[in-house]
Amino acid sequence: MEETPSSQRARRAFTAALSATGLLGPWVGRAQSPVVVRFSHVVAADTAKGRAAQRFKELAETRTGGRVRVEVHANSQLYKDREELEALQLGTVQMLAPSLSKLAVLGGGGFEAFDLPFMFKDRAAFRAVADGPVGAGLLKRLEAKGIKGLAYWDNGFKVMTANRPLRDVADFHGRSFRVQSSRVITAQMRALGAEPVVLPLSDTYAALRDGLVDGQEGIPSNIYTQRTHELQRHLTVSHHAYLAYAVIVNKGFWDGLPSDLRTILEGALKEATVYAQGVAAQDNEQMLEKIRASGKTVVYTLSPAELAAWRRAMHRVYEQAPAWMGQEIIDAMRAAAGRSAP
Ligand code: LMR
């Protein structure tokens, strides 16, 4: 019988779980065996995150002289969005780089502040938050959940897609949009008059193809590599929010590493983080050009007046958000991002 993608995923997850528990046999975990870091993520290998994960692997393996082996599993091969967070806590994978939107379930509501509309005016503003005390404080909150946050990786500013032009706020009315599992993004879609539908990235293509949702928001690199643009005739450049990631590890695993190995891995991750920053901007620009060149999707950039109307509509999210995350984190993030008002 042929395996379906979901039974393949289940089999791989099962094998990974078995090997993590040592049940696969005495040949797993011999003294000379390398330490295996399973690094799972949900996007294509040919994206900023995919390439940064590969760079981390190369640096880690070379610098430890083979004492560490990093297995990168791209494109939800091993786990989908929520499953991968559970797998990390169980220790069946050791490393992930989920979007900050998906971390809310683990670290209280604080991470969702990164999703607040128009929080960041540019990449530097995101880095100022991520590299400062606000970013460090949020990563620290994960420790209570058995997770250690090691770094923030960039991606880029989000755009919207649908099968009809999205210019006026009224264009959203009555339409459904796939969103990540973030209360802020859900509220943002409702503020625009649309119906949000939370789905893993790996289910988005099928949901659009089968008409379960009308549109989605995301960054050009994911839209192109997941082939979403083949199903969506209109893309609006709105840059209404920023997509970024946290590189996180199972804390028990990380703390249990020999300290020399941990130091090498930290150094490798630092370099991979700088690399990710460099490729993310370029990647999204190139992918937007490819989407345009494909002729399948009309790319439209909002006029200043249209953008102002989107912004006004989305402002409602700032009234709801304090109930989920506290006003303090919103104020701290805004101050670090150099935003006096949303
Ligand atoms: C999404 O689900 O749209 C993104 O978080 C995917 C990713 O990891 O870039």
Side-chain angles (χ1 to χ4, degrees), residues 42-43 49 81 97-99 102 155 178 180 199-201 217-219 222 243 245:
V42 300
V43 296
K49 176 159 66 178
D81 294 1
S99 72
K102 294 172 190 168
N155 199 319
R178 177 268 167 174
Q180 304 182 70
L199 287 173
L201 181 70
E217 61 155 37
I219 40 100
N222 283 343
L243 177 76
Y245 310 111

Side-chain angles (χ1 to χ4, degrees), residues 88-89 103 106-108 111 135-151 247-252 254-255 266:
L88 186 74
Q89 286 179 297
L103 286 176
L106 295 175
F111 281 99
L138 286 170
L139 291 181
K140 193 87 191 147
R141 290 187 191 179
L142 297 173
E143 296 195 6
K145 306 283 178 176
I147 290 173
K148 193 163 171 59
L150 298 177
V247 182
I248 57 179
V249 285
N250 177 293
K251 185 165 165 15
W254 194 252
D255 292 346
E266 280 164 0

Side-chain angles (χ1 to χ4, degrees), residues 24-94:
L24 278 184
W27 57 89
V28 176
R30 279 179 315 198
Q32 313 88 316
S33 304
V35 173
V36 175
V37 181
R38 283 189 204 87
F39 188 159
S40 174
H41 67 80
V42 300
V43 296
D46 189 20
T47 55
K49 176 159 66 178
R51 290 211 291 274
Q54 190 60 28
R55 174 61 63 100
F56 170 71
K57 169 188 166 70
E58 286 157 13
L59 293 171
E61 290 180 350
T62 311
R63 291 186 185 165
T64 59
R67 284 168 69 207
V68 169
R69 193 170 81 229
V70 181
E71 294 175 357
V72 180
H73 298 274
N75 241 340
S76 312
Q77 281 162 353
L78 213 48
Y79 298 106
K80 296 186 191 188
D81 294 1
R82 192 178 270 270
E83 296 165 0
E84 70 172 15
L85 289 170
E86 286 163 7
L88 186 74
Q89 286 179 297
L90 289 170
T92 53
V93 292
Q94 289 72 37

